[in-house]
Amino acid sequence: GQNIDQPTEMTATEGAIVQINCTYQTSGFNGLFWYQQHAGEAPTFLSYNVLDGLEEKGRFSSFLSRSKGYSYLLLKELQMKDSASYLCASGGANNLFFGTGTRLTVIP
Amino acid sequence: GAVVSQHPSWVICKSGTSVKIECRSLDFQATTMFWYRQFPKQSLMLMATSNEGSKATYEQGVEKDKFLINHASLTLSTLTVTSAHPEDSSFYICSTTGETQYFGPGTRLLVL
């Protein structure tokens, strides 16, 4: 079966760092994806991890531990525009399974 | 990444009517496209995989006779919601696949 868990909501302060965790149990794992979705808009791709370790891309970094079925998205120097839902998804490009998303609110 | 468009961006219709949503891959040929549905405050749920030149593959629980998918060319897939009812009101999003999935801007459907 497929199962992805992430916190429903998080709040963080502008300029701070926030870590959004994701645990997954999926069959046929081909990678772990993170997407950002602003309210009323479609998701946009943030990152992809297929090997263990940390992938850094500007203010956003994503970590994967395949043995633990665990990933996190790290957002640094938070900006107000980072308020959005962050979706964790596992699988491959042709077979993505999405978590329910974490709604992040950035406050001044 | 790939550029995907959807039309219309939003639509309001009466119960019992049919609505067609178009998904276009603007900058590359897509043999496979995906259709998702997203209810408020919920995640994306895959409805079906659209395959160019062949029948779509529907996920469990999705009525293939209600949600008609046509993928007649490498740049266009359409989703027709037939005999729409208020419970079909949702955000419908398509995507194409490359090294990841690239999503269209979505179509918000409201059935009165």
Side-chain angles (χ1 to χ4, degrees), chain A residues 9 33 35 37 39-45 48 87 92-101 103, chain B residues 32 34 36 38 41-46 49 91 93 97-106 108:
Chain A
E9 296 189 17
F33 299 79
Y35 286 82
Q37 185 179 26
E41 298 180 13
T44 55
F45 171 72
Y48 169 59
L87 309 178
N94 287 323
N95 187 23
L96 280 181
F97 181 80
F98 285 87
T100 54
R103 193 159 48 253
Chain B
T32 302
F34 302 92
Y36 292 85
Q38 186 178 33
K41 298 187 178 181
Q42 296 186 23
S43 191
L44 284 78
M45 297 299 296
L46 180 64
T49 302
F91 190 44
I93 311 173
T97 182
E99 62 270 20
T100 182
Q101 287 191 25
Y102 300 97
F103 290 88
R108 194 163 300 282

Side-chain angles (χ1 to χ4, degrees), chain B residues 65-82:
Chain B
D65 294 331
K66 180 172 179 62
F67 299 98
L68 302 179
I69 291 174
N70 183 280
H71 193 156
S73 78
L74 289 171
T75 59
L76 174 64
S77 175
T78 61
L79 169 68
T80 301
V81 183
T82 62

Side-chain angles (χ1 to χ4, degrees), chain B:
Chain B
V3 180
V4 182
S5 71
Q6 278 184 244
H7 177 79
S9 56
W10 60 271
V11 58
I12 302 173
C13 69
K14 294 182 179 179
S15 184
T17 60
S18 294
V19 175
K20 179 187 282 188
I21 303 170
E22 294 184 349
C23 176
R24 293 183 185 274
S25 174
L26 299 182
D27 57 352
F28 84 108
Q29 296 179 329
T31 55
T32 302
M33 293 185 179
F34 302 92
W35 286 97
Y36 292 85
R37 180 167 53 181
Q38 186 178 33
F39 292 105
K41 298 187 178 181
Q42 296 186 23
S43 191
L44 284 78
M45 297 299 296
L46 180 64
M47 297 176 66
T49 302
S50 172
N51 304 298
E52 188 268 336
S54 63
K55 292 182 179 180
T57 304
Y58 290 82
E59 296 300 302
Q60 192 172 7
V62 178
E63 301 174 58
K64 59 181 68 176
D65 294 331
K66 180 172 179 62
F67 299 98
L68 302 179
I69 291 174
N70 183 280
H71 193 156
S73 78
L74 289 171
T75 59
L76 174 64
S77 175
T78 61
L79 169 68
T80 301
V81 183
T82 62
S83 187
H85 288 95
E87 57 265 31
D88 298 324
S89 298
S90 188
F91 190 44
Y92 291 86
I93 311 173
C94 70
S95 71
T96 64
T97 182
E99 62 270 20
T100 182
Q101 287 191 25
Y102 300 97
F103 290 88
T107 297
R108 194 163 300 282
L109 171 65
L110 176 61
V111 184
L112 302 177

Side-chain angles (χ1 to χ4, degrees), chain A:
Chain A
Q2 312 264 34
N3 189 52
I4 291 183
D5 285 318
Q6 20 177 166
T8 305
E9 296 189 17
M10 298 182 72
T11 302
T13 306
E14 190 177 14
I17 299 173
V18 70
Q19 177 174 312
I20 303 174
N21 296 323
C22 170
T23 57
Y24 64 89
Q25 294 173 319
T26 59
S27 56
F29 178 80
N30 286 318
L32 196 291
F33 299 79
W34 284 96
Y35 286 82
Q36 179 191 60
Q37 185 179 26
H38 285 98
E41 298 180 13
T44 55
F45 171 72
L46 288 179
S47 69
Y48 169 59
N49 293 68
V50 65
L51 299 176
D52 290 351
L54 187 68
E55 294 277 345
E56 297 188 73
K57 192 184 293 185
R59 292 190 300 116
F60 293 1
S61 303
S62 57
F63 172 84
L64 175 67
S65 169
R66 288 173 294 172
S67 61
K68 296 181 180 179
Y70 167 69
S71 174
Y72 67 72
L73 180 69
L74 192 71
L75 293 76
K76 303 176 186 175
E77 302 170 16
L78 280 174
Q79 302 175 8
M80 299 300 291
K81 67 178 182 180
D82 296 330
S83 293
S85 287
Y86 291 86
L87 309 178
C88 173
S90 72
N94 287 323
N95 187 23
L96 280 181
F97 181 80
F98 285 87
T100 54
T102 298
R103 193 159 48 253
L104 173 66
T105 302
V106 180
I107 58 176

